Amino acid sequence: MAEGESLAVSKAPEMVRLAARELEVLASALEEPAEAQDRVLEGLLRIYAKTGLGREHGLEEGMDLEEYRSALPPRRYDAFRPYVVRVLRGHVEVLLAEEPVFFGITSGTTGQPKLIPITSTDAELRARVMAACLAWLTARWGLEGVLGSPCLAPCLPSRVSTVRLRGREVPCGYISGINAEIMARYLGLEEALRPYLDEVNAIGPGISRADWEKRFQAALRAVEGHDMKVAVGAGPALWMFARWLKRVKGAWPRELWNMELLLIAGVPHIQAAYVPELTRYYGQDALPVELYGATEGLFAATLAEEPYLVPFYHAYLFEARVGKCVKMLHEMKAGELGSLIVSTPVLPRYEIGDLVVCHADGLYFSVPGRDRLAVRLSAKITAFVSALASLL
């Protein structure tokens, strides 16, 4: 390998092959979401049937959607907490069909912190979703050099503690760091990212200005000498990094790198609150893409010109509680609001607590925040104003 060549770029063919394969699956799912959701359910039931929770509720391979819904009602995290506790005590099979490779810790800003087990199947699914997303964006927008590019990824640690489980040490950390670990492991970027990820873990979970400056310094060292094409992270982290860079280097990111893609996650209202400033900092030619996910999974992204989220129907099962009924997400109509319910390789029919708003039948959505009265009222007013404006 030539001196200065990016290890990330040297592994690009591996990522390109995965991305091409996943792009076809994603495109097919968006054309026929009902069929895609049936295939997702089929795969999930094979997992659930092997777990204690699945056996308790009679979940079996070959069930159709209505049988699945009848057997297991939607549930919030508190209903899963006893199963997670038993997993931590070594009884993995009560909730999982395989050993966990991570435990994701939520921030607890909206209540008691949660601990989410992540299995190899779950981790691989997240990597496949990201590969599909990158492939879609690359094909649709003609982005050059994104697949395999060095990536700016300011994140929190993937390991702040460990759980000793059946003779293994399973790391517990925050989802931004865990996702970085997953992408490194499954997209062939391990050698390129490992020193940076280890340094982030050594800095620890602090959120003071000094802690973040240490992470920013580590991120800058990791990409030194390379022309980055991609930046990914929570909106506030990308915003703080850009302003820190201007202060310590006297330059905005756009003045140092030719950014093509900004993947922005972690907070609501990204389009209004973060996209204008971030594109000014990172470059007007950088495509801003909102990612919607949580510790539980990576669920949607803005994939078209419209500033709305498109669900990854090929990867997770999506439902929503709309009024007094539960319907499939792809059955929602424009203007409807609902409480999002997801089924992942770990959590069946998990009512995640986020409000989802449909902007085009079954296709375009937004997630304005947690499903609370104030958020619902604000979303209804916004939807009404938008509908009124379309008539003028």
Side-chain angles (χ1 to χ4, degrees):
M1 183 181 298
E3 184 178 357
E5 181 183 353
S6 167
L7 285 164
V9 173
S10 73
K11 295 283 189 176
E14 180 179 335
M15 186 189 297
V16 170
R17 285 193 295 271
L18 176 62
R21 190 165 63 245
E22 292 302 316
L23 173 59
E24 184 176 346
V25 178
L26 172 59
S28 175
L30 294 180
E31 290 179 3
E32 300 289 348
E35 287 80 356
Q37 291 285 268
D38 285 342
R39 289 191 294 271
V40 169
L41 177 60
E42 182 180 354
L44 290 174
L45 284 169
R46 283 197 294 270
I47 296 172
Y48 300 155
K50 300 175 184 177
T51 69
L53 185 150
R55 288 190 292 271
E56 286 174 20
H57 293 273
L59 300 183
E60 299 176 350
E61 293 187 47
M63 276 184 162
D64 63 24
L65 179 63
E66 291 310 314
E67 290 172 328
Y68 174 56
R69 285 171 154 176
S70 297
L72 183 71
R75 54 182 59 193
R76 295 291 182 105
Y77 182 77
D78 283 346
F80 288 105
R81 194 184 300 276
Y83 295 90
V84 174
V85 170
R86 293 183 66 189
V87 168
L88 295 172
R89 292 173 178 167
H91 303 289
V92 171
E93 64 283 351
V94 300
L95 181 63
L96 310 176
E98 57 189 311
E99 298 287 327
V101 293
F102 292 102
F103 285 98
I105 309 168
T106 66
S107 62
T109 54
T110 58
Q112 187 177 357
K114 298 178 290 187
L115 202 61
I116 305 296
I118 298 172
T119 64
S120 292
T121 298
D122 189 7
E124 184 178 355
L125 178 60
R126 297 169 196 238
R128 286 171 38 213
V129 165
M130 180 58 75
C133 181
L134 291 173
W136 178 281
L137 296 170
T138 297
R140 186 178 185 93
W141 299 99
L143 304 180
E144 297 179 2
V146 164
L147 293 176
S149 167
C151 178
L152 174 70
C155 61
L156 288 167
S158 63
R159 181 189 294 259
V160 298
S161 63
T162 60
V163 172
R164 186 159 185 80
L165 200 61
R166 294 179 173 181
R168 299 169 51 245
E169 297 289 340
V170 183
C172 302
Y174 294 103
I175 196 59
S176 58
I178 290 173
N179 279 340
E181 293 265 4
I182 289 171
M183 301 313 154
R185 184 178 304 178
Y186 289 93
L187 299 184
L189 306 176
E190 181 74 27
E191 293 179 79
L193 289 176
R194 175 48 50 202
Y196 166 62
L197 296 175
D198 288 345
E199 192 168 353
V200 169
N201 286 340
I203 293 167
I207 56 173
S208 69
R209 177 172 175 173
D211 292 315
W212 275 109
E213 288 187 349
K214 290 177 184 177
R215 294 185 189 106
F216 295 156
Q217 290 164 359
L220 193 58
R221 285 193 294 271
V223 299
E224 190 173 2
H226 303 299
D227 184 18
M228 286 188 300
K229 301 295 184 182
V230 184
V232 57
L238 292 174
W239 184 87
M240 289 190 296
F241 175 85
R243 296 179 71 85
W244 170 84
L245 188 69
K246 178 65 173 177
R247 189 173 71 252
V248 301
K249 294 292 186 181
W252 294 110
R254 68 172 187 267
E255 298 173 274
L256 300 181
W257 305 294
N258 296 311
M259 288 284 185
E260 293 186 10
L261 181 62
L262 294 177
L263 298 170
I264 313 165
V267 288
H269 309 300
I270 284 172
Q271 298 296 328
Y274 287 94
V275 165
E277 280 196 82
L278 289 181
T279 51
R280 183 159 59 90
Y281 296 159
Y282 288 84
Q284 295 296 330
D285 291 334
L287 176 68
V289 172
E290 179 180 355
L291 296 177
Y292 167 63
T295 308
E296 295 83 357
L298 179 57
F299 302 131
T302 51
L303 299 179
E305 291 85 353
E306 292 79 3
Y308 300 122
L309 295 165
V310 175
F312 294 123
Y313 284 127
H314 69 296
Y316 302 93
L317 192 73
F318 295 107
E319 302 171 85
R321 189 185 300 277
V322 181
K324 295 182 179 180
C325 71
V326 173
K327 60 171 62 178
M328 299 301 293
L329 192 67
H330 64 80
E331 296 173 341
M332 286 185 70
K333 302 298 183 182
E336 285 188 323
L337 285 67
S339 178
L340 183 63
I341 301 165
V342 297
S343 292
T344 79
V346 170
L347 301 172
R349 302 203 79 195
Y350 173 48
E351 193 159 358
I352 198 166
D354 286 343
L355 180 69
V356 61
V357 182
C358 183
H359 297 277
D361 294 0
L363 180 61
Y364 292 143
F365 298 87
S366 62
V367 181
R370 303 297 284 172
D371 187 10
R372 294 173 173 164
L373 180 59
V375 177
R376 278 183 171 264
L377 290 175
S378 177
K380 287 181 179 179
I381 292 171
T382 301
F384 174 76
V385 172
S386 177
L388 186 62
S390 68
L391 299 175
L392 298 179

